[in-house]
Amino acid sequence: MDTVATAATATVETHCPYCALQCGMGLQPADGPDGPAVEVVPRPAFPVNRGALCGKGRTAPELLAPGARLTVPLVRDPVTGALVPADWDTALDRVAEGLRRTGAAYGRDAVGVFGGGGLTNEKAYALGKFARVVLGTSQIDYNGRFCMSSAAAAQGRAFGLDRGLPFPLADVARTGCVLLVGSNLAETMPPALRYLTELKENGGRLIVVDPRRTRTAEQADLHLAPRPGTDLALALGLLHLVVAEGRTDEEFVAARTRGWPAARAAAMAHWPELVERLTGVPVPQLREAVALFCDAPSSMVLTARGPEQQAKGTDTVGAWINLCLATGRAGRELSGYGCLTGQGNGQGGREHGQKADQLPGYRRLDDPAARRHVAGVWGVDPDALPGPGRSAYELLDALGGDVRALLLMGSNPVVSAPGAAHVEERIKALDFLVVADVVRSETAELADVVLPVAQWAEETGTTTNLEGRVLLRRRALDPPPGVRTDLEVLGGLAARLGHRTGFPADPEEVFEELRRASAGGPADYSGISYARIAAEDGVFWPCPAPPTRAVTGSQAARGEPSGVPDHPGTPRLFLDRFATHDGRARFVPVTHRPADEETDAGYPVVLTTGRVLAQYQSGAQTRRVTALNAAEPGPFVELHPRLADRLGVADGEPVTVVSRRGRAVAPARVSRAIRPDTVFMPFHWPGEGRANTLTNPALDPVSRMPEFKVCAVRIERLDG
């Protein structure tokens, strides 16, 4: 689609391309001839952000300018080794031949596919279908595995269903107490901070659990600062106190749960003084937290990457869920457990087939009935579908070995993966790498073929935000000449590999097939249409189609009346029953265990990682935005003054951080906001300041989440 970039002539209502809030915004033609073709205007009627936007959202159009992004396919010159421009036919022919040749020589599972949590539902669905139908490979996963997979696994075990928040975000402001674990909303999702502000204005209380005194923790009535990697012990210690102080909701436990005796026994082994020694949180603060949480008429626990990105992340989240269940703070209005999903479509991205073990509609790939249903929609034999493959890190670790070629869309693992230096080596060991991306990322620099694809404002598609609200991003302008959409890329490759139908470029046509594929599954989108999303500011799944209305054909697709009322969607889950076979939630007994890598004499300090306000994920996009780069131009090492004094390091001086996997160099940022035994690094930058050179790829046994949030390091002055 080599059309001239043309802006819309009126304001187009759409959504931000960044985090899982998916804030509503408007795009209107820009005045200046030299800047982006559109500019952002507020959209105050959208209920999630009510017109508020962070700096990333306001500056997002800057990346739409041709100078900031890829506009022509690139192929690796076999003589010079450089990436050089090519036409689309040449590039796609080379990709198809590389994938075909690898599969023929080494078997179908020698071809891998790695997706991204920023892809729309349509693209995630098409990518999963492409991997399993066209390539016939089981080797597909996505970077959302690094986001909330531990929370997803824990919610599945406890509730029978995983959705980031089982209630609208607006409920947070109306509850009595929020216990926020491992989240710095003020910097990662700034427009959401208003809900915590409103909570306190309404008389509610806020407890923040974080080893750093962040801008979010500054808002708390109580800040608990545990040693990184001890969140599980903290949750168990609070549950111990709930039992010891007689605060268990015995009626709720008896009527709506199973497994309490074993979970209670496990918690009682974590007495307050032991938990204080493990976590560093004083016993009086533990007791205060229990009082604030239990004395409120309603309460919520919200977790983010802090407790989840650990090699025991599933059990850690499970312990916080146990706290909710034991106190009757789940399955009720204004109470419950929720996960603050990070990536823009981290929720929808795994619901529809990018994840190694899942089919569309959140169906399990090893479920024969699920395979039959999806295979019927796809028109293939269920037995032809491959089984579950490797998780994200395990797939990256296999590159250059069992997996010889990789198709990568919307991810930058050279910066974002744990043990990034090792991952970079594995990527370089591939026989063939193709990257489809908006920008020339650090991973794209290693590719044999780079395909320039359209951005959020240049294509229509749906995303699912952290509430489970399915939203519609609308196309506001044409892509620049030489740029195609991901759906066009997959369709062109499928045709070259012998599948001339089944991969349309029209996103609404793809969504209609997704509806059919999801029908009857846990994440049922069959009652959702583009027209409904537009009319209702999003629709919460599950939303099944009425039983007498087919989800095929133009009438249903356009949301035209059929005499059968539409399902209203499900803003609040679990109020009547949990999604288990008997409707009861499950306690899972868990016990604290140390981090995979504890400190010792050689590596005496704990490193934890995270985000900063002005940058996003691997920084591949935000590092190209002038205002964002000016606000936060590079990496840093945050350390406590006592640690800085011991090392003889002044604020702003470069330091070296060394782990068992490598070393990183960045300026010191001396701050009393962090524990003296801990340092913090943001993970947005490549090169010598790459934080993920240091991080530990040890995996959670259930979710396969790497242990990003805790590893042992030592700090050295750069002069030695």
Side-chain angles (χ1 to χ4, degrees), residues 256-579:
R256 300 199 59 190
T257 72
R258 294 192 186 280
W260 172 231
R264 178 179 57 203
M268 297 313 289
H270 298 77
W271 59 94
E273 292 75 18
L274 171 63
V275 171
E276 179 179 312
R277 289 202 304 274
L278 291 170
T279 66
V281 177
V283 171
Q285 289 190 1
L286 300 176
R287 295 189 184 278
E288 184 181 358
V290 168
L292 290 173
F293 189 77
C294 294
D295 288 347
S298 56
S299 300
M300 297 174 178
V301 172
L302 305 178
T303 69
R305 306 301 80 75
E308 297 164 17
Q309 287 181 326
Q310 299 184 30
K312 53 181 181 291
T314 302
D315 284 355
T316 301
V317 173
W320 291 109
I321 291 174
N322 286 349
L323 178 67
C324 291
L325 294 175
T327 55
R329 307 305 172 97
R332 289 176 170 169
E333 288 272 359
L334 304 181
S335 285
Y337 165 79
C339 168
L340 299 170
T341 310
Q343 293 192 76
N345 198 30
Q347 182 72 48
R350 70 180 180 283
E351 291 168 4
H352 299 299
Q354 279 193 103
K355 206 173 171 197
D357 56 355
Q358 288 178 190
L359 288 169
Y362 233 145
R363 288 180 160 92
R364 289 187 58 86
L365 189 52
D366 58 5
D367 177 358
R371 294 170 66 87
R372 285 193 300 272
H373 174 85
V374 174
V377 174
W378 289 349
V380 299
D381 184 343
D383 293 337
L385 296 178
R390 293 176 172 91
S391 71
Y393 180 78
E394 291 166 306
L395 174 55
L396 295 173
D397 189 44
L399 301 182
D402 293 341
V403 179
R404 309 296 292 262
L406 183 69
L407 168 62
L408 187 147
M409 281 189 160
S411 187
N412 188 19
V414 165
V415 178
S416 63
H422 171 71
V423 169
E424 183 175 357
E425 290 175 359
R426 300 321 312 148
I427 290 174
K428 290 177 178 177
L430 283 164
D431 295 345
F432 186 73
L433 171 65
V434 54
V435 172
D437 209 334
V438 170
V439 297
R440 191 161 167 166
S441 70
E442 287 74 22
T443 305
E445 291 291 349
L446 306 179
D448 296 281
V449 180
V450 181
L451 303 175
V453 292
Q455 295 188 58
W456 57 289
E458 299 164 346
E459 57 183 348
T460 295
T462 62
T463 61
T464 306
N465 80 345
L466 77 172
E467 308 165 296
R469 189 193 303 251
V470 185
L471 303 167
L472 184 63
R473 285 190 196 159
R474 294 173 175 86
R475 177 171 173 156
L477 69 163
D478 295 335
V483 172
R484 297 186 181 181
T485 70
D486 292 286
L487 293 179
E488 289 175 314
V489 168
L490 291 174
L493 290 176
R496 285 167 170 79
L497 293 168
H499 293 258
R500 298 193 174 277
T501 61
F503 292 88
D506 177 17
E508 189 167 8
E509 188 176 345
V510 177
F511 189 77
E512 289 304 306
E513 184 177 301
L514 181 158
R515 294 173 67 195
R516 298 195 300 274
S518 74
D524 191 334
Y525 282 34
S526 61
I528 304 175
S529 66
Y530 275 25
R532 277 199 67 182
I533 298 171
E536 300 173 27
D537 272 334
V539 181
F540 291 86
W541 71 261
C543 183
T548 58
R549 178 189 294 170
V551 293
T552 57
S554 60
Q555 186 181 40
R558 304 299 173 187
E560 296 173 12
S562 67
V564 179
D566 287 322
H567 188 284
T570 314
R572 295 172 181 85
L573 296 170
F574 313 138
L575 296 183
D576 300 317
R577 68 189 311 274
F578 294 97

Side-chain angles (χ1 to χ4, degrees), residues 27 96 110 136 270 330 341 373 499 523 565 595 605 618 656 693 711:
L27 293 177
H270 298 77
T341 310
H373 174 85
H499 293 258
V605 179
S618 76
T656 302
T693 298
C711 70

Side-chain angles (χ1 to χ4, degrees), residues 143-153 304-314 317 339 391-394 418 696-709:
N143 63 16
R145 176 79 69 169
F146 301 156
C147 178
M148 56 175 290
S149 58
S150 293
R305 306 301 80 75
E308 297 164 17
Q309 287 181 326
Q310 299 184 30
K312 53 181 181 291
T314 302
V317 173
C339 168
S391 71
Y393 180 78
E394 291 166 306
N696 186 1
L699 301 181
D700 180 286
V702 179
S703 68
R704 315 309 287 168
M705 167 74 84
E707 189 147 84
F708 286 100
K709 279 296 184 280

